[in-house]
Amino acid sequence: MSSAAAVVQTAIEASMEDAFRHIVPIDLASIFTGYGPLPAVSGTRDETGPWDASGRTRTVVFSDGSTARESLTGYQYPHRFTYTINGFTGVLKLLAREAHGEWQFEQLPDREATAVLWRYEFVSRSPWLAPVLRLFVQTLWRGYMRRALGLSKDQIEARSGQTQSDPGARY
């Protein structure tokens, strides 16, 4: 099966535990604000419980009315969490069968800061669509991720009294 992945990363001036506790249950609408033609997240619904254990699911609702089903597949506090998204109802359903996300958190040595790495991989609907999917991921999706990670960083650092970052995260 063909796939296309993007990775973004940054350093957040907060403890690993604080960064993890903020990002895992984050209000998706506060960080996925749209990017070019990609719609913003307007909310979630049908949550099966707090976003803190493998097996939890929810429906992500986008500003264009499309949805996707998200499932938390791994939860290792405060180091890592993973999830799968499928059931796309918007344009993505034409390109991707599903997507897999992973966030990793690592305390930086000798300072109260955390390295955050976010990897997102789309699985193509067919080998013929793979080049289009790769182009989409490397251009639009990576930018969407950068913006979301930068907004997450700003929220965490503002809460902990640190200086806010540049609009885009450091990579």
Side-chain angles (χ1 to χ4, degrees):
M1 195 63 54
S2 298
S3 65
V7 175
V8 294
Q9 55 192 347
T10 193
I12 297 176
E13 299 299 323
S15 72
M16 188 169 66
E17 294 81 7
D18 287 346
F20 188 93
R21 277 192 300 262
H22 184 86
I23 288 175
V24 176
I26 201 163
D27 172 13
L28 299 179
S30 75
I31 61 167
F32 291 105
T33 57
Y35 186 80
L38 299 178
V41 169
S42 55
T44 58
R45 65 174 192 237
D46 308 325
E47 294 92 349
T48 59
W51 207 243
D52 62 359
S54 294
R56 304 282 197 215
T57 62
R58 63 187 176 190
T59 300
V60 180
V61 181
F62 297 93
S63 60
D64 65 357
S66 65
T67 61
R69 191 74 176 151
E70 185 176 30
S71 302
L72 193 57
T73 57
Y75 184 90
Q76 299 162 344
Y77 174 83
H79 303 284
R80 170 179 186 266
F81 72 97
T82 58
Y83 54 95
T84 296
I85 299 179
N86 55 30
F88 300 109
T89 65
V91 173
L92 273 176
K93 74 178 176 185
L94 303 174
L95 292 176
R97 185 170 51 95
E98 63 187 12
H100 305 279
E102 176 180 14
W103 289 71
Q104 297 176 11
F105 302 80
E106 182 179 327
Q107 194 71 47
L108 292 172
D110 303 322
R111 60 190 267 220
E112 186 76 3
T114 303
V116 177
L117 182 138
W118 179 20
R119 183 176 191 282
Y120 204 98
E121 180 179 17
F122 285 96
V123 178
S124 179
R125 283 219 166 265
S126 82
W128 296 278
L129 292 171
V132 176
L133 182 62
R134 275 192 294 278
L135 181 63
F136 164 77
V137 169
Q138 294 306 313
T139 57
L140 290 173
W141 192 259
R142 185 185 307 271
Y144 199 49
M145 289 173 69
R146 281 186 186 130
R147 177 173 290 162
L149 183 57
L151 290 170
S152 300
K153 173 183 171 71
D154 287 347
Q155 288 177 13
I156 295 165
E157 291 180 351
R159 243 178 51 179
S160 65
Q162 302 294 324
T163 305
Q164 289 193 350
S165 71
D166 296 329
R170 290 181 289 262
Y171 309 99

